[in-house]
Amino acid sequence: MRLPRPVYGLYERRLAATLSHESVPRHVGVILDGNRRWARSFGESTATGHRRGADKIAEFLGWSEDQGVEVVTLWMLSTDNLSRSQEELSALLDIIEDAVRDLADSGRWRLRVMGRLDLLPERLTAALREAQQRTASVDGLQVNVAIGYGGRHEIADAVRSYLREQAAAGARLQDLAENLDVEHIEEHLYTKGQPDPELVIRTSGEQRLGGFLLWQSAHSEFYFCEAYWPDFRRVDYLRALRAYSQRERRLGR
């Protein structure tokens, strides 16, 4: 049951007032889930659901800026999603291309593209790289767009990158096997140079990661929201941040 608009606005302001800058996560990861189910609930097409989900992104990033979040990672397309029907996938890729271009056009956010771009159409890959390059000097919220992304693929890519780097330097396989450690993998992840996500949000009521940021989320807090992504509101975000602030993060200590 939704609150009347004036009461809702008051509740939202009070909720925001309970959050301190010190309790806000530096990096928030988001699994944008539920676009298709949202569309079905209204008798709309799948493409309409994806479009409405894309329209929500800029609003969410604005909320993140307001709260002082430094990095946001948006999981827009998984490697598993690439097996969807050609009709749905073609429309979805066009929507993603438009969404990323719009984010770049805003000039507000520094984009980083994450994922197996070699699995995507060349036109989309070129558009994504152009958006990343065009925003490289933006001094603002860092936004990772995970497209054609899978956590296992990322770890495999990181190991592959490390081995290639060491092979080029003349390292022997035996030496690599003996010396390989956690930091060597971390230095070759898609998110290298960024803090790991302290908070991971998944919408639509599903309570699993599905392969999202498998390495980086080792110490993340998880928040599962019932709302479909197109219906995700600022108050839902504030509730997630409040839940995060109330958890005791001992990190094994």
Side-chain angles (χ1 to χ4, degrees), residues 46-64:
T46 297
T48 298
H50 290 313
R51 183 70 66 181
R52 285 294 297 269
D55 292 342
K56 176 66 63 174
I57 290 173
E59 191 175 18
F60 178 84
L61 296 179
W63 300 335
S64 297

Side-chain angles (χ1 to χ4, degrees), residues 34-46 49 228 230-231:
N35 294 331
R36 295 194 295 179
R37 279 170 284 170
W38 177 90
R40 285 197 296 268
S41 72
F42 288 98
E44 297 286 352
S45 68
T46 297
Y228 297 139
D231 281 337

Side-chain angles (χ1 to χ4, degrees), residues 119-134:
L119 301 178
L120 304 176
E122 290 183 8
R123 187 194 70 182
L124 175 57
T125 298
L128 296 176
R129 286 176 171 155
E130 189 272 338
Q132 176 174 287
Q133 183 177 13
R134 187 150 51 97

